[in-house]
Amino acid sequence: MTATERLTRYFIWFIAAFTVVFLMTPLLVTIAVSFGSSTVFTLPPPDWSLRWYQKLANTRGLLPALMVSLQVAAISTAIAMVLGTLCAIALVRGRFPGREAISTFLISPLMLPGLVIGIAMLQGFKAMGLRDVYASLFVAHVVITLPYVVRTVVGALSLFDFSLIDAARTLGCNYPMALMRVLVPALAPAFLTSGMFAFLASMDNYPISIFFTDAWTKTLPIQMLQYVEETPDPTIAAISAGLVLLAILVLIIGDRLVGLRKLADF
């Protein structure tokens, strides 16, 4: 290894380490503040305490908002998984005019600002007469989670040998059964990955959800913002630490499931 290659390698490692530290520092600061005893955001905290986690049980509106977010995220992710997989199969297997345009359209929610999408859907729902809070939230969150599923499954399908489906059909399986026995197991890692990111994106969404909630139905991010405006204390840091833990648990569970799937294939 030449001196230039060694220097380039060290520079790449430095950039990678700096990026990790830059991204992780706010999370570590939030978690540290949540364990402090001070009533203001102080770092380092004067004393370590669990008072803000104990206060979560008495925080008004927190549990209902959490349940709304979990319900919306779970249902919208499930719907996006089904629709996104069907769209991905059509994009990979289909040969029709405008296929690339449709593919770009399906991932466009990732390219546009959330406020723009929220305002556009608000006007569209109003024109269609859709005023129910839950229905609006479900449709909006399917729109924002669908791109994660489509892009991930399209990538997985591009590596899949569809002749295996034909082989399963020659062995006696009908087409739906061949898909369930051959295609679905092969795409299991893609399903898990896209499902995790879609679920977390739905749980964390604020700029779109704010247009479709009311005084009685709020998602967790909106409830958190309202709490910060009313009572700016480290309780919000404890809630944020809980969301970080939720994201870590989802990623760990997904990684274990993918590992078990690979072990079963082996």
Side-chain angles (χ1 to χ4, degrees):
M1 182 181 295
T2 63
T4 302
E5 292 175 341
R6 189 180 298 108
L7 183 62
T8 302
R9 184 177 181 181
Y10 290 154
F11 178 74
I12 293 174
W13 276 105
F14 171 77
I15 294 298
F18 176 80
T19 303
V20 171
V21 172
F22 180 78
L23 294 176
M24 294 299 296
T25 298
L27 300 180
L28 296 177
V29 170
T30 300
I31 295 173
V33 170
S34 70
F35 287 100
S37 60
S38 174
T39 57
V40 295
F41 295 88
T42 304
L43 193 70
D47 293 301
W48 299 103
S49 173
L50 296 176
R51 60 178 297 190
W52 305 116
Y53 290 92
Q54 295 171 351
K55 188 179 177 181
L56 292 180
N58 300 322
T59 302
R60 179 176 54 86
L62 179 61
L63 184 58
L66 176 61
M67 296 306 299
V68 169
S69 289
L70 289 175
Q71 292 172 5
V72 172
I75 296 176
S76 62
T77 298
I79 296 174
M81 293 285 290
V82 176
L83 295 179
T85 301
L86 296 176
C87 293
I89 293 175
L91 292 173
V92 173
R93 297 287 289 171
R95 295 294 181 268
F96 50 88
R99 186 164 60 96
E100 295 298 328
I102 294 176
S103 177
T104 303
F105 173 76
L106 289 174
I107 64 172
S108 60
L110 295 179
M111 308 176 186
L112 298 173
L115 289 175
V116 174
I117 299 175
I119 294 173
M121 285 195 291
L122 178 64
Q123 296 298 324
F125 292 168
K126 182 180 179 180
M128 293 186 296
L130 181 59
R131 302 182 184 278
D132 183 75
V133 174
Y134 275 98
S136 301
L137 280 173
F138 287 140
V139 175
H141 280 243
V142 168
V143 171
I144 62 177
T145 55
L146 190 62
Y148 296 96
V149 180
V150 172
R151 293 303 298 169
T152 305
V153 178
V154 164
L157 285 174
S158 63
L159 303 176
F160 180 75
D161 186 3
F162 281 89
S163 63
L164 295 175
I165 302 244
D166 298 329
R169 296 184 67 186
T170 61
L171 295 176
C173 290
N174 55 32
Y175 193 72
M177 186 60 67
L179 292 178
M180 292 299 298
R181 291 189 174 183
V182 179
L183 181 62
V184 172
L187 296 181
F191 290 151
L192 289 172
T193 302
S194 60
M196 286 187 299
F197 282 103
F199 181 84
L200 294 176
S202 177
M203 283 288 298
D204 189 51
N205 183 269
Y206 168 78
I208 295 177
S209 301
I210 193 173
F211 291 100
F212 307 108
T213 56
D214 55 22
W216 301 275
T217 306
K218 298 178 182 178
T219 59
L220 184 59
I222 296 175
Q223 184 66 33
M224 290 172 63
L225 181 62
Q226 179 179 339
Y227 185 85
V228 171
E229 294 175 349
E230 296 176 352
T231 313
D233 60 31
T235 302
I236 196 67
I239 301 174
S240 302
L243 292 177
V244 172
L245 178 61
L246 174 63
I248 294 174
L249 289 177
V250 170
L251 294 176
I252 291 176
I253 292 173
D255 180 70
R256 292 296 177 87
L257 291 176
V258 172
L260 291 175
R261 179 62 197 173
K262 292 181 179 179
L263 184 60
D265 293 338
F266 179 77

